[in-house]
Amino acid sequence: MSNNLAVLHALDTAKTQWYHVTAIVIAGMGFFTDAYDLFCISTVSKLLGRLYYYNPSTGKPGKLPTQVNNSVIGVALVGTLTGQLFFGWLGDKLGRKKVYGITLILMVICAICSGLSFGSSAGSVIGTLCFFRFWLGFGIGGDYPLSATIMSEYANKKTRGAFIAAVFAMQGVGIVFAGLVSMTLSSIFLSKYSAKSFKEDQVFSTQPEADYLWRIVLMLGALPALLTYYWRMKMPETGRYTALIEGNAKQAAIDMGRVLDIEIQADGDKLSQFKASNDYSLLSKEFFRRHGMHLIGTTTTWFLLDIAFYSQNLTQKDIFPAMGLTNKAEAVNALREMFETSRAMFIVALLGTFPGYWFTVFFIEKIGRFRIQLIGFFMMSVFMLILSIKYTYLRSDNKYLFATLYALTFFFANFGPNSTTFVLPAELFPTRLRSTCHAISAASGKAGAMVGAFFVQSYTLDGNPKKIQKALMFLALTNMLGFCFTFLVTETKGRSLEEISGEDGGQNETQMTSEPQMTRQGSHRETI
């Protein structure tokens, strides 16, 4: 664009370089850690139940009470929501880079501490676990807006969607590893400490050594975050933030010229024009006029998507026995149950979840964000509707079809709204408020995840077919609503961030579509 700053034009048109790949890995390892930490709890929660909540009078293996189970899983989501809002706001106030290392240190410390416990009673172990998982979630939350914003501001306009989606796709790798690590370690423990099934020996079917296993699995989440800390600290501030918010186009040119192989002329004369076009706050009428519909669109779609996505991920351990992927709890010992749960989780993640992320990376610039999101919501809704209507038949007479349909809902979540709801808020909003708006959208998603953890999951815990059927029907409906709310966002592919948000002094997409006959001034009322 002719009226664009040279540093922004250079970033938009830069060829894909090694540094782009490095940035994807550095930002992506945060997501790898996020997914590992958030989802490995599914593989260890049954083990915690056996170790700390066994009651001989029931004649059944120990199981986390519904409230305790929801707290252990949900507390990290509460932490994530608060972390997203806090660090997202901070990322716009202090800069992306300054805040980026703090989130990683928090994740490392809290992942290690999650595996420790003060005292040995059920209350003290679960209390410690919940405390540190809240703060772990707080650190994870900060990674969402910062990683998305950093990647969108580094990338060129032709491959920006694919780069942001690739960062997010590391979540898929993290979910696969959560299953793989749990499966491998439980297999090693099982070979060393064999035991009879619960049916044969109720007390000794739970190996005491299992107490070390869940701690090791949780603590290993600190490793990937620790490995990328040094590289994260070496990343310069994004050129867009330095130029547009700090008002230092010269420094932006130096920083970007150092890491990207591009020639940049430092020009400060156009900065005042950019500043004049963007001097409005989040709660202003001007923001609502320009970006209000987009923010409603990104928050509602992410909220509805995460109800379904987290419900699927967190309840799969309860649905696996119905699919025939795991044995009933009474038929196996504690370590064997964890091995079978993590093996099933690994298979579903590898065949259903993981490919979906990378399909998005490869097709997002061809098909576009808007269409991928619509297709994903629609297909998820269809598959969940079939699963809910035919649940009894599928689980008893056609387990392979059940497993296939279930895996396809995961595939279309990721080759669909789970990826695009992350990408769009990083592109639709102006630099001054990009991190905050992404944080608000992501926090809305985590509110949806909490609906999944605290409400939907309570329908699946006891394995009652009628209740699971109701849960699946509810999820089919939320996905259909997500399909409808997608029409509030717009396609962003192939355009610069400044062009999309109207930061270059032109009109943004909302204005172009909703104000064809109006001038920009004095039209607040009609647009709103």
Side-chain angles (χ1 to χ4, degrees), residues 44 47-48 50-52 186 189 193 205-217 333-336 338:
V44 303
L47 200 55
L48 288 168
R50 290 229 195 195
L51 283 163
Y52 295 104
S186 55
F189 268 69
Y193 312 107
S205 66
T206 303
Q207 298 92 324
E209 293 80 9
D211 199 40
Y212 293 109
L213 176 58
W214 70 267
R215 296 169 190 279
I216 294 166
V217 169
N333 62 46
L335 289 172
R336 178 77 198 173
M338 181 174 171

Side-chain angles (χ1 to χ4, degrees), residues 319-383:
I319 295 174
F320 287 153
M323 290 162 68
L325 285 172
T326 58
N327 285 302
K328 287 210 162 48
E330 290 83 356
V332 287
N333 62 46
L335 289 172
R336 178 77 198 173
E337 185 181 34
M338 181 174 171
F339 171 74
E340 288 184 1
T341 304
S342 43
R343 180 183 61 187
M345 182 175 154
F346 173 70
I347 292 166
V348 170
L350 195 64
L351 301 180
T353 311
F354 180 73
Y357 284 100
W358 294 99
F359 262 71
T360 303
V361 174
F362 293 123
F363 290 108
I364 195 165
E365 299 298 354
K366 293 184 180 73
I367 303 172
R369 293 80 160 135
F370 181 73
R371 278 190 194 159
I372 287 176
Q373 188 159 308
L374 281 179
I375 293 164
F377 267 130
F378 183 76
M379 297 308 283
M380 284 170 77
S381 198
V382 168
F383 291 128

Side-chain angles (χ1 to χ4, degrees), residues 286-511:
E286 181 73 2
F287 174 84
F288 194 84
R289 185 172 73 83
R290 290 181 176 215
H291 308 289
M293 280 303 153
H294 290 158
L295 190 58
I296 294 167
T298 56
T299 49
T300 49
T301 51
W302 205 336
F303 174 76
L304 293 160
L305 173 271
D306 269 9
I307 293 176
F309 183 71
Y310 277 84
S311 295
Q312 275 180 289
N313 273 293
L314 299 174
T315 61
Q316 58 184 347
K317 66 185 185 302
D318 306 309
I319 295 174
F320 287 153
M323 290 162 68
L325 285 172
T326 58
N327 285 302
K328 287 210 162 48
E330 290 83 356
V332 287
N333 62 46
L335 289 172
R336 178 77 198 173
E337 185 181 34
M338 181 174 171
F339 171 74
E340 288 184 1
T341 304
S342 43
R343 180 183 61 187
M345 182 175 154
F346 173 70
I347 292 166
V348 170
L350 195 64
L351 301 180
T353 311
F354 180 73
Y357 284 100
W358 294 99
F359 262 71
T360 303
V361 174
F362 293 123
F363 290 108
I364 195 165
E365 299 298 354
K366 293 184 180 73
I367 303 172
R369 293 80 160 135
F370 181 73
R371 278 190 194 159
I372 287 176
Q373 188 159 308
L374 281 179
I375 293 164
F377 267 130
F378 183 76
M379 297 308 283
M380 284 170 77
S381 198
V382 168
F383 291 128
M384 284 188 167
L385 196 61
I386 295 167
L387 282 169
S388 69
I389 294 167
K390 292 285 185 187
Y391 182 76
T392 321
Y393 159 73
L394 288 167
R395 71 175 282 217
S396 51
D397 299 340
N398 205 331
K399 285 177 178 172
Y400 290 111
L401 181 58
F402 187 107
T404 305
L405 289 169
Y406 194 65
L408 279 167
T409 58
F410 276 100
F411 175 79
F412 279 105
N414 297 306
F415 180 43
N418 192 36
S419 299
T420 54
T421 52
F422 179 79
V423 174
L424 282 164
E427 299 181 315
L428 285 167
F429 303 105
T431 310
R432 178 178 299 283
L433 298 164
R434 186 170 292 129
S435 179
T436 304
C437 289
H438 195 284
I440 292 167
S441 308
S444 174
K446 279 301 162 285
M450 281 149 66
V451 172
F454 293 116
F455 171 68
V456 180
Q457 196 179 206
S458 58
Y459 273 75
T460 65
L461 278 173
D462 55 5
N464 182 323
K466 287 238 171 359
K467 283 187 175 178
I468 291 175
Q469 224 167 346
K470 279 183 188 167
L472 288 165
M473 186 69 79
F474 172 72
L475 295 179
L477 181 67
T478 57
N479 287 322
M480 215 57 228
L481 282 171
F483 177 87
C484 299
F485 278 104
T486 296
F487 288 95
L488 292 176
V489 297
T490 187
E491 186 51 71
T492 54
K493 71 170 182 169
R495 291 182 296 154
S496 77
L497 293 173
E498 291 70 39
E499 199 180 337
I500 297 161
S501 64
E503 270 177 288
D504 54 6
Q507 290 185 320
N508 75 326
E509 185 75 16
T510 308
Q511 292 163 307

Side-chain angles (χ1 to χ4, degrees), residues 205-259:
S205 66
T206 303
Q207 298 92 324
E209 293 80 9
D211 199 40
Y212 293 109
L213 176 58
W214 70 267
R215 296 169 190 279
I216 294 166
V217 169
L218 294 182
M219 284 178 170
L220 281 172
L223 203 58
L226 204 55
L227 292 172
T228 46
Y229 179 75
Y230 170 75
W231 298 107
R232 205 173 260 206
M233 288 299 88
K234 293 218 4 171
M235 286 176 97
E237 183 55 83
T238 71
R240 284 184 157 89
Y241 188 88
T242 307
L244 299 180
I245 309 306
E246 293 179 348
N248 193 340
K250 188 178 179 184
Q251 187 59 47
I254 293 165
D255 286 345
M256 293 301 98
R258 205 171 72 229
V259 293

Side-chain angles (χ1 to χ4, degrees), residues 130-151:
C130 286
F131 176 80
F132 285 114
R133 281 189 68 77
F134 172 83
W135 290 107
L136 174 68
F138 194 73
I140 286 172
D143 233 50
Y144 274 74
L146 294 169
S147 290
T149 304
I150 283 169
M151 204 61 242

